[in-house]
């Protein structure tokens, strides 16, 4: 990577109080919460068999990718499809490590059978969760370096993921242009940065760590992150809420880059609800 990675900017707490959680969030640093696995899962494990029963006959949304570590295409949106869960499982079982890959990423409200088998983190009671999203992937799948204009708590339900985090900013991260369909994505691959093409990357200090099953990760809005699934079977859940007006104003340029994606996503969600492909959002 461009500089020596570390974990100095990540706060790690074991079963913090609500006050400790909110205090840590106000620092603007990423936060890992340990010790909540049994409480969140209610003692359940999340196998593919279990998830298929939860999905039932509903079609779940998957992203088709040309390879496990494909860069984001600035000319097109993700290749999203709705398929039966069995079809998703079949694809996972036959995928070659470096061949085309499939990534389940759907609103958890589209799998209502899952709701009775987990508990929403109590730390979120003071925020308004706008979306809860389920992710399922196989080993080696990479989400390229990007940022989100929302606050996120990521619960690792099964498996583990390796995270590369980078502080907010645009200049040293080389995002795609505003007129592209990947304006929140970096052109840089942190695993193999092209230092000749992206010389300012050497100023970046990545934060690298593995998030293990049962752990929660708070990702501040506008923090860059790259994520790689490191076990054969990875299941996680995102809880999303809006950043404060103060943070939006502070990162106005980053927010401007995100506007086209936010509009596209809002249209997709509205269309899915109108056709009955996704339920209206509710607290889990």
């Amino acid at each position: 990577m461009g500089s020596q990675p570390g974990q100095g900017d990540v706060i790690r707490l074991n079963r913090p109080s609500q006050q400790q959680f909110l205090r840590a969030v106000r620092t603007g640093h990423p936060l890992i919460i340990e010790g909540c696995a049994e409480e969140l899962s209610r003692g359940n494990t999340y196998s593919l068999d279990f998830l298929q029963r939860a999905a039932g006959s509903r079609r779940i949304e998957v992203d088709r990718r040309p390879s496990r570590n494909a860069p984001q295409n600035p000319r097109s949106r993700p290749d999203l499809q709705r398929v039966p869960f069995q079809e998703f499982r079949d694809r996972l079982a036959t995928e070659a490590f470096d061949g085309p890959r499939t990534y389940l990423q759907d609103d958890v409200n589209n799998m209502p059978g899952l709701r009775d088998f987990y508990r929403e983190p109590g730390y979120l009671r003071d925020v308004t969760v706008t979306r809860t999203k389920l992710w399922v992937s196989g080993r080696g799948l990479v989400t390229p370096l990007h940022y989100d204009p929302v606050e996120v708590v990521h619960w690792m339900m099964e498996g583990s993921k390796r995270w590369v985090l980078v502080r907010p900013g645009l200049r040293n991260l080389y995002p795609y242009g505003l007129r592209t369909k990947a304006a929140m994505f970096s052109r840089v691959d942190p695993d193999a940065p092209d230092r000749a093409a992206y010389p300012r990357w050497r100023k970046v200090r990545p934060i690298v760590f593995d998030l293990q099953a049962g752990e929660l990760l708070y990702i501040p809005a506008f923090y860059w992150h790259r994520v790689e699934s490191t076990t054969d079977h990875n299941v996680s859940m995102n809880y999303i809420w809006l950043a404060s007006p103060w943070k939006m104003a502070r990162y106005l340029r980053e927010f401007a880059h995100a506007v086209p994606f936010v509009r596209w996503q809002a249209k997709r969600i509205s269309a899915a609800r109108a056709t009955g492909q996704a339920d209206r959002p509710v607290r889990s």
Side-chain angles (χ1 to χ4, degrees):
M1 295 194 180
S3 58
Q4 182 63 36
Q7 295 191 45
D9 291 324
V10 178
I11 302 168
R12 186 178 285 270
L13 297 174
N14 189 284
R15 298 184 62 85
S17 67
Q18 183 73 4
Q19 185 177 17
Q20 287 174 316
F21 169 75
L22 293 175
R23 187 184 304 127
V25 168
R26 285 194 292 269
T27 69
H29 293 303
L31 167 67
I32 296 174
I33 298 176
E34 304 168 333
C36 299
E38 192 68 20
E39 176 185 349
L40 295 177
S41 68
R42 294 179 172 176
N44 294 293
T45 56
Y46 303 100
S47 67
L48 291 177
D49 286 339
F50 178 90
L51 294 175
Q52 185 163 356
R53 290 195 298 272
S57 61
R58 289 177 176 248
R59 289 176 172 259
I60 44 88
E61 188 163 83
V62 300
D63 179 11
R64 293 283 287 164
R65 302 186 179 185
S67 64
R68 75 171 194 90
N69 192 18
Q72 191 70 19
N73 189 336
R75 295 181 296 277
S76 64
R77 297 293 186 191
D79 181 14
L80 300 173
Q81 306 170 6
R82 285 201 172 272
V83 302
F85 195 94
Q86 183 62 57
E87 182 175 331
F88 166 66
R89 290 190 67 173
D90 292 343
R91 291 180 183 181
L92 279 185
T94 58
E95 286 176 345
F97 186 75
D98 288 316
R101 303 293 292 270
T102 309
Y103 197 2
L104 189 160
Q105 41 181 280
D106 202 2
D107 193 311
V108 80
N109 291 314
N110 196 41
M111 297 175 65
L114 186 58
R115 293 184 192 139
D116 292 336
F117 298 96
Y118 70 89
R119 181 176 287 110
E120 183 178 274
Y123 300 110
L124 302 178
R125 63 177 177 266
D126 293 327
V127 302
T128 301
V129 174
T130 59
R131 196 175 187 197
T132 306
K133 196 170 180 181
L134 185 73
W135 307 79
V136 184
S137 60
R139 183 184 295 273
L141 188 68
V142 172
T143 300
L145 188 64
H146 70 289
Y147 67 85
D148 298 310
V150 290
E151 310 279 18
V152 177
V153 162
H154 189 91
W155 169 29
M156 197 72 227
M157 302 167 75
E158 290 287 337
S160 66
K161 292 180 178 179
R162 179 155 298 148
W163 292 75
V164 178
L165 300 187
V166 177
R167 289 173 177 269
L170 296 177
R171 176 174 166 76
N172 298 332
L173 277 296
Y174 297 93
Y176 289 99
L178 276 169
R179 296 182 182 275
T180 71
K181 292 179 169 61
M184 298 188 302
F185 283 81
S186 173
R187 294 178 169 92
V188 182
D189 179 355
D191 275 358
D194 184 337
R195 293 178 175 83
Y198 311 117
R200 293 191 301 275
W201 174 260
R202 64 174 55 93
K203 299 179 181 180
V204 174
R205 180 178 175 269
I207 308 164
V208 184
F209 58 90
D210 287 352
L211 190 72
Q212 305 294 342
E215 295 181 334
L216 295 166
L217 171 64
Y218 163 65
I219 313 165
F222 306 107
Y223 239 88
W224 293 84
H225 47 286
R226 174 194 185 271
V227 192
E228 179 176 358
S229 299
T230 53
T231 48
D232 290 338
H233 170 54
N234 304 272
V235 182
S236 54
M237 193 176 289
N238 270 4
Y239 299 92
I240 299 167
W241 69 98
L242 297 178
S244 68
W246 174 86
K247 186 175 282 191
M248 292 287 194
R250 180 181 179 185
Y251 297 113
L252 188 59
R253 290 180 63 226
E254 286 85 346
F255 182 72
H257 270 250
V259 167
F261 177 82
V262 171
R263 288 175 175 168
W264 170 74
Q265 189 77 297
K267 288 180 181 177
R268 287 188 59 257
I269 294 171
S270 295
R273 290 174 187 154
T275 58
Q277 292 180 310
D279 292 341
R280 298 188 178 278
V282 295
R283 297 283 296 220
S284 299

